[in-house]
């Protein structure tokens, strides 16, 4: 009887060992979401999945194609949706074909409109995102920010001249000087002195270039209000309105660091401003706080010594995390640029930033409650251009339901653009920029 019981126990134990050590079926990763962010600068394709993927890619020519192979997954309906997400106006992708190449290997074939330099990389989970696999398609010849500014704006605007140059073949004759055109009360008068070929002095109005930086974009939505409005969309709308006002001035032009819904790394935003030799850099945001009661507008400048308040430091840390959320390719990230921007940030730049910040804050206070009545300072990465006065404006708290409603209202956006414009003109009327741009 005892022997029979022992055999029964051993059988049960053997069954348990078999169930523990028997090979389990391989687990296939799942694609959870696919997103496409087309822009003139580059198109980004993001595949979000529940584990880190092994990926390889190669280019084919005649016609131009990019082939991407993803191991450890099976084709699912989410991945098939990628085909429909490619828009006809995408600058770089004609279409994409998706198929099961072999067991547990999916192949994506991107038919391209032109030659590209792809960057393919993965991102670790952060925030609400799980693992992400990113395909960035950059043009083979990078877009020049100055060329783009000339193409989209009127670089060679006719500017008012106090003394028109006489014909070169004639000796200059004394004649009554024409009166200059009337100048609006707050329009900046930014003179620069030059000489024509006859040696006569001419008073020209120098073009002032302003870089406008709508925060976040693409994979990085920024803060989100209780009604579902994303910060990235609100600030882009305000920036566009402000750009229209700047471009309407006879001696100003504006450049947007992004003009659509796509991600731009923080260092690249600063680099763009420096490439067009901007006289001023304005980063536009609409923040969120842990409490929905937080309200009001704020203006920030860079700090060399630390944040002016705990809230300013918390906000700077949050904004500086944009690269992690938006998705920067670490292998190509210009670390040298980041260190140069950090090392060369000067006291003079910060002092100028505080001046323009106070001028803008004074105007914004006329249309909205101020979260704090003075310009705050913290270590915002996007404000670290060593030679450009730079400020960051929190237009309102999108996490406050009342302010979220205002931020999405056309009238308030116009008022905010008008207020910032008034602050800009007030600053330049007292602080003419140095003659580093071309004369016109």
């Amino acid at each position: 009887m005892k022997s029979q019981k022992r055999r029964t126990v051993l059988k049960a134990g053997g069954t348990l060992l078999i169930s523990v050590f028997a090979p389990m079926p391989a687990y296939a990763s799942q694609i959870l979401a696919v997103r496409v962010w087309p822009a003139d600068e580059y198109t980004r394709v993001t595949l979000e999945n529940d584990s880190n993927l092994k990926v390889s890619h190669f280019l084919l020519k005649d016609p131009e194609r990019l082939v991407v192979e993803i191991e450890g997954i099976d084709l699912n309906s989410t991945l098939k949706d990628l085909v429909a997400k490619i828009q006809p106006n995408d600058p770089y992708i004609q279409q994409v074909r998706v198929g099961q190449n072999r067991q547990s290997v999916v192949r994506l074939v991107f038919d391209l409109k032109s030659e590209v330099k792809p960057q393919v990389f993965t991102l670790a989970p952060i925030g609400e995102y799980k693992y992400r696999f990113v395909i960035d398609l950059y043009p083979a010849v990078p877009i020049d920010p100055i060329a783009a500014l000339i193409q989209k704006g009127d670089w060679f605007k006719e500017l008012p001249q106090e003394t028109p140059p006489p014909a070169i073949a004639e000796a200059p004759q004394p004649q009554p000087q024409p009166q200059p055109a009337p100048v609006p009360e707050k329009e900046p008068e930014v003179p620069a002195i030059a000489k024509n070929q006859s040696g006569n002095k001419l008073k020209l109005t120098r073009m002032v270039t302003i870089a406008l930086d709508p925060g976040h974009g693409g994979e990085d939505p920024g803060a989100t209000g209780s009604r579902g409005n994303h910060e990235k969309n609100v600030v882009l709308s305000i920036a566009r309105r402000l750009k229209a006002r700047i471009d309407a001035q006879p001696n100003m032009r504006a450049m947007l660091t992004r003009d659509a819904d796509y991600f731009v790394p923080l260092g690249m935003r600063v680099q763009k401003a420096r490439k067009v030799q901007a006289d001023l850099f304005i980063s536009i945001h609409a923040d969120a706080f842990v409490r929905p009661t937080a309200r009001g507008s704020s203006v920030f400048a860079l700090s060399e010594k630390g944040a002016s308040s705990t809230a300013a430091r918390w906000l700077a840390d949050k904004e500086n995390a944009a690269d992690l959320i938006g998705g920067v390719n670490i292998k190509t990230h210009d670390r040298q640029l980041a260190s140069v921007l950090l090392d060369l940030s000067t006291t003079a730049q910060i002092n100028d930033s505080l001046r323009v910040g106070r001028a803008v804050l004074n105007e914004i206070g006329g249309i909205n409650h101020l979260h704090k009545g003075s310009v705050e300072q913290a270590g915002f990465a996007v404000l670290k251009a060593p030679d450009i006065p730079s400020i960051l404006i929190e237009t309102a708290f999108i996490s406050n339901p009342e302010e979220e409603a205002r931020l999405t209202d056309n009238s308030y956006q116009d008022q905010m653009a008008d207020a910032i414009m008034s602050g800009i003109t007030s600053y330049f009327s007292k602080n003419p920029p140095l003659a580093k741009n071309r004369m016109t």
Side-chain angles (χ1 to χ4, degrees):
M1 187 69 176
K2 288 182 179 180
S3 175
Q4 185 177 357
K5 284 184 179 180
R6 181 189 294 177
R7 285 196 299 271
T8 303
V9 171
L10 286 173
K11 284 182 182 179
T15 303
L16 178 62
L17 287 172
I18 291 172
S19 66
V20 170
F21 292 104
M24 299 292 289
Y27 171 73
S29 298
Q30 293 294 314
I31 299 296
L32 306 175
V34 292
R35 296 180 289 274
V36 181
W37 308 101
D40 290 341
E41 292 186 28
Y42 75 108
T43 289
R44 168 168 288 190
V45 178
T46 303
L47 278 62
E48 188 175 356
N49 46 282
D50 58 2
S51 64
N52 205 3
L53 297 175
K54 184 178 180 181
V55 182
S56 60
H57 71 281
F58 55 90
L59 288 167
L60 297 173
K61 301 191 73 66
D62 300 324
E64 300 284 344
R65 286 156 291 163
L66 171 68
V67 180
V68 178
E69 291 191 345
I70 310 171
E71 298 184 23
I73 66 169
D74 292 321
L75 190 61
N76 64 5
S77 58
T78 303
L79 196 49
K80 290 178 181 178
D81 287 344
L82 179 60
V83 175
K85 290 182 181 289
I86 304 302
Q87 299 300 312
N89 61 347
D90 190 296
Y92 303 105
I93 304 174
Q94 183 71 42
Q95 65 177 1
V96 63
R97 290 169 281 147
V98 181
Q100 191 79 44
N101 183 254
R102 54 190 183 275
Q103 185 177 1
S104 298
V105 177
V106 168
R107 171 175 284 191
L108 313 178
V109 180
F110 294 90
D111 295 320
L112 305 171
K113 293 181 178 179
S114 60
E115 185 181 358
V116 301
K117 287 187 175 179
Q119 292 185 17
V120 179
F121 56 99
T122 57
L123 297 169
I126 186 171
E128 297 180 359
Y129 289 126
K130 296 187 181 297
Y131 291 91
R132 285 175 291 170
F133 163 56
V134 178
I135 305 166
D136 284 347
L137 302 176
Y138 288 90
V141 179
I143 293 175
D144 182 353
I146 294 180
L149 184 60
I150 293 173
Q151 183 180 4
K152 292 183 179 181
D154 189 3
W155 184 282
F156 301 103
K157 292 190 225 179
E158 287 293 328
L159 298 178
Q161 296 183 344
E162 283 201 347
T163 309
I168 296 175
E170 299 176 3
Q173 300 294 325
Q175 54 183 325
Q177 299 296 317
Q179 294 299 313
V183 180
E185 182 180 349
K186 286 196 173 183
E187 181 178 337
E189 183 179 346
V190 189
I193 303 299
K195 290 184 178 182
N196 65 8
Q197 294 184 20
S198 299
N200 286 12
K201 286 186 177 181
L202 305 176
K203 189 174 183 182
L204 306 179
T205 303
R206 177 165 90 67
M207 291 294 288
V208 176
T209 303
I210 300 173
L212 301 178
D213 175 46
H216 309 283
E219 288 288 289
D220 176 19
T224 301
S226 59
R227 302 182 185 184
N229 294 294
H230 295 313
E231 178 183 5
K232 66 176 182 178
N233 299 326
V234 168
V235 298
L236 178 59
S237 180
I238 293 174
R240 284 172 172 166
R241 293 168 194 262
L242 179 55
K243 181 182 188 303
R245 285 155 174 77
I246 293 171
D247 289 343
Q249 301 297 315
N251 58 339
M252 286 187 175
R253 57 179 161 243
M255 180 272 291
L256 292 173
T257 59
R258 69 175 180 94
D259 56 5
D261 186 11
Y262 61 98
F263 174 70
V264 181
L266 298 176
M268 183 58 66
R269 295 169 189 257
V270 179
Q271 197 173 48
K272 284 184 174 185
R274 299 190 76 198
K275 281 187 176 180
V276 300
Q277 295 187 330
D279 299 289
L280 178 61
F281 180 93
I282 299 178
S283 192
I284 302 174
H285 292 255
D287 194 32
F289 196 62
V290 291
R291 296 190 303 272
T293 53
R295 59 188 288 260
S297 302
S298 306
V299 176
F300 295 85
L302 186 66
S303 170
E304 283 185 306
K305 300 178 181 178
S308 56
S309 68
T310 302
R313 182 171 58 251
W314 177 84
L315 179 63
D317 290 343
K318 191 162 70 71
E319 298 294 2
N320 290 346
D323 277 357
L324 298 176
I325 298 170
V328 170
N329 185 1
I330 299 299
K331 292 181 180 178
T332 62
H333 194 45
D334 195 338
R335 296 181 182 178
Q336 183 178 3
L337 170 66
S339 65
V340 166
L341 293 178
L342 178 64
D343 295 340
L344 294 184
S345 297
T346 64
T347 301
Q349 183 260 28
I350 292 175
N351 289 338
D352 285 338
S353 301
L354 290 170
R355 289 189 191 98
V356 69
R358 284 190 287 267
V360 170
L361 190 70
N362 183 58
E363 297 293 337
I364 292 178
I367 66 163
N368 193 30
H369 170 79
L370 295 180
H371 188 67
K372 192 169 184 180
S374 60
V375 179
E376 293 203 72
Q377 294 180 261
F380 291 91
V382 81
L383 301 183
K384 290 183 178 179
D387 48 359
I388 307 173
S390 304
I391 60 172
L392 184 145
I393 302 172
E394 293 289 356
T395 52
F397 281 90
I398 201 168
S399 55
N400 182 306
E402 181 182 341
E403 293 204 330
E404 180 186 8
R406 297 189 73 190
L407 284 167
T408 55
D409 179 70
N410 289 334
S411 176
Y412 181 76
Q413 290 188 5
D414 282 332
Q415 290 177 37
M416 181 58 66
D418 287 336
I420 299 172
M421 185 73 225
S422 296
I424 292 171
T425 54
S426 175
Y427 167 75
F428 279 123
S429 67
K430 300 171 185 175
N431 303 274
L434 299 175
K436 63 180 180 180
N437 283 20
R438 70 181 70 191
M439 305 293 183
T440 31

